[in-house]
DNA sequence: AGAGAACCGTACCGTACGGTACGGAGAATT
DNA sequence: AATTCTCCGTACCGTACGGTACGGTTCTCT
């Protein structure tokens, strides 16, 4: 049989196991993710786990990589945009961001990575931010560049503009959700928050249509 | 001998032990804080630890409460403020906030609480946010009320204004520091970040003095 | 059909941790 | 001086977890 997995590709069976691992992690945190427990939940043997993922840290890394591989495909736009379309895209980005960050899987993985941050290995935090965040950052960055190119917003420092956008959208919600605070989102308030944040962003970086005066 | 500690007061010896516990926690995360390890580091017996704090969770709670008891005393102002003084107070608040959040002890405790967030007990997260954050929130809230009363800023929703301020100051720094990302602050950039955030906050909530249409 | 690999289920081992028990030392009280 | 209290240091116990080994089963390839 030719090598089916060149380097890091996972067989469907292995992906299935990682999926069960994610469920355990979401349900009970890192403590609930034991090799014996995962083997039982996934109907596989511990021996196979160690064969596939090396050791427990390898398993954790594989979980993060696996989840990150599913997140690809944020909105990406290169064409010219009307002002309204641009604002809608921004609002959509804000909603997506809030939805992702408040998702149980995202919260569980971030808690996992944060819990490992003290150890010197610390590959998990870097992995998570690299695999998960970079895509989001790039999508937003492209969006902001398009908005500037089309004359809807102005900024001198792209990175600063993006971080401001991020801060306006997320505020302290992420950390509070990570701490386990419940009930931070009422039914429709996620969309309202996103909309509100984008309005504030335009107040800071938007160009006045017609005269184009100000910015910070 | 009369009861020296009425209810929750701690003897100097016990506070000393908690201090060593904090050191262990900062140095190596939750995993490094074992009862045996703490007993050795603090030159006390495990029996005493259990006598004083009940069990390990009680110890963790005591650590958080102990640290929170030291943080009191953010700036608090009720008098009338000039515009410049108000801005300086805000900037000072922003610097303090960034300094606290980026402190090793704060990061270690937040990591600890976040790691426990999955368990249903979850007293730690609530405790941390209640003891640590409330003071900060109140100080900032008072400051914003004073600023509105003196006519320097305007807002309809105090809570929304505060959260916007928080988001502008902290952005995604807190989570990234929690994840262990290093080198997020260059030498003087903390002050610059605080200053920048306050400028943006004034752009959003400041009242135009006379006209001053200058910035957004 | 037979050989071999992959894999499951279980048992097993060593370690480390939470929590308890015990002996002994120092200090205060009587 | 005898008693009592607190506390330290150590030893101890049960459990749970990471990691390994092994017999039996299913599937694939020839």
């Amino acid at each position: 049989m030719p090598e089916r997995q060149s380097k890091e590709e996972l067989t469907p069976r292995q992906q299935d196991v990682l999926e069960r691992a994610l469920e355990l992690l979401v349900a009970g945190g890192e403590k609930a993710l034991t090799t014996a427990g995962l083997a039982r939940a996934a109907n596989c043997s511990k021996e196979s786990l160690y064969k596939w993922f090396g050791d427990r840290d390898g398993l954790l890394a594989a979980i993060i990589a696996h989840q990150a591989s599913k997140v690809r495909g944020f909105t990406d736009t290169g064409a010219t945009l009307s002002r309204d379309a641009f604002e809608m895209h921004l609002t959509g980005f804000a909603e997506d961001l809030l939805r992702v960050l408040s998702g149980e899987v995202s919260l569980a993985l971030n808690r996992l990575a944060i819990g490992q941050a003290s150890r010197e290995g610390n590959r998990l935090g870097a992995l998570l931010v690299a695999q998960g965040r970079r895509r989001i950052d790039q999508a937003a960055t492209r969006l902001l560049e398009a908005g500037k190119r089309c004359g809807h917003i102005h900024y001198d420092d792209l990175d600063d503009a993006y971080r401001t956008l991020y801060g306006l959208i997320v505020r302290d919600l992420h950390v509070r959700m990570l701490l386990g605070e419940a009930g931070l989102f009422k039914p429709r308030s996620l969309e309202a928050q996103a909309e509100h944040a984008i309005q504030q962003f335009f107040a800071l970086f938007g160009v006045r249509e017609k005269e184009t005066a100000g910015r910070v």
Side-chain angles (χ1 to χ4, degrees), chain A:
Chain A
M1 174 195 293
E3 284 276 316
R4 188 156 72 245
Q5 44 198 27
S6 61
K7 194 66 174 298
E8 295 294 326
E9 284 181 38
L10 298 174
T11 68
R13 176 75 176 115
Q14 292 165 3
Q15 295 186 25
D16 199 57
V17 170
L18 291 181
E19 210 63 37
R20 309 292 293 190
L22 261 178
E23 293 174 15
L24 288 179
L25 207 56
V26 168
E30 184 188 352
K31 284 193 46 184
L33 185 65
T34 66
T35 54
L38 176 58
R40 205 177 317 118
N43 289 325
C44 73
S45 69
K46 290 173 65 174
E47 195 175 22
S48 299
L49 291 181
Y50 286 100
K51 182 174 188 177
W52 293 334
F53 307 111
D55 59 3
R56 190 168 183 272
D57 287 345
L59 174 65
L60 297 182
I63 292 173
I64 288 182
H66 170 63
Q67 175 64 13
S69 73
K70 301 190 300 188
V71 186
R72 64 168 55 100
F74 249 96
T75 59
D76 181 46
T77 164
T80 65
L81 289 168
S82 75
R83 154 84 194 224
D84 278 353
F86 176 58
E87 183 171 335
M88 272 191 49
H89 273 83
L90 268 186
T91 307
F93 168 78
E95 290 179 8
D96 285 350
L97 180 58
L98 287 176
R99 240 184 293 274
V100 166
L101 293 187
S102 62
E104 283 188 336
V105 176
S106 165
L107 288 176
L109 289 182
N110 275 279
R111 290 198 186 107
L112 171 65
I114 287 173
Q116 301 277 332
S118 316
R119 297 197 70 174
E120 68 275 19
N122 199 15
R123 272 186 79 252
L124 290 194
L127 222 170
L128 188 69
V129 69
Q131 305 266 359
R133 275 289 299 275
R134 293 281 182 253
R135 290 187 224 276
I136 298 177
D137 295 356
Q138 281 190 5
T141 292
R142 300 253 171 73
L143 205 51
L144 292 183
E145 284 173 336
K148 182 179 185 182
R149 190 183 335 118
C150 299
H152 304 313
I153 56 175
H154 175 78
Y155 52 79
D156 294 323
D157 183 344
L158 171 61
D159 194 56
D160 173 70
Y162 169 55
R163 294 175 114 79
T164 301
L165 175 64
Y166 190 100
L168 287 172
I169 295 171
V170 176
R171 301 173 171 199
D172 65 344
L173 272 177
H174 201 191
V175 173
R176 289 173 63 185
M177 291 187 298
L178 287 172
L179 282 168
E181 206 165 331
L184 288 176
F185 279 123
K186 281 142 195 78
R188 292 280 305 173
S189 80
L190 187 145
E191 289 82 355
Q193 288 235 17
E195 168 76 15
H196 183 50
I198 299 307
Q199 292 308 316
Q200 290 182 318
F201 182 74
F202 272 110
L204 283 176
F205 293 93
V207 269
R208 287 173 179 51
E209 343 203 5
K210 308 293 191 300
E211 52 173 3
T212 336
R215 57 173 198 272
V216 176

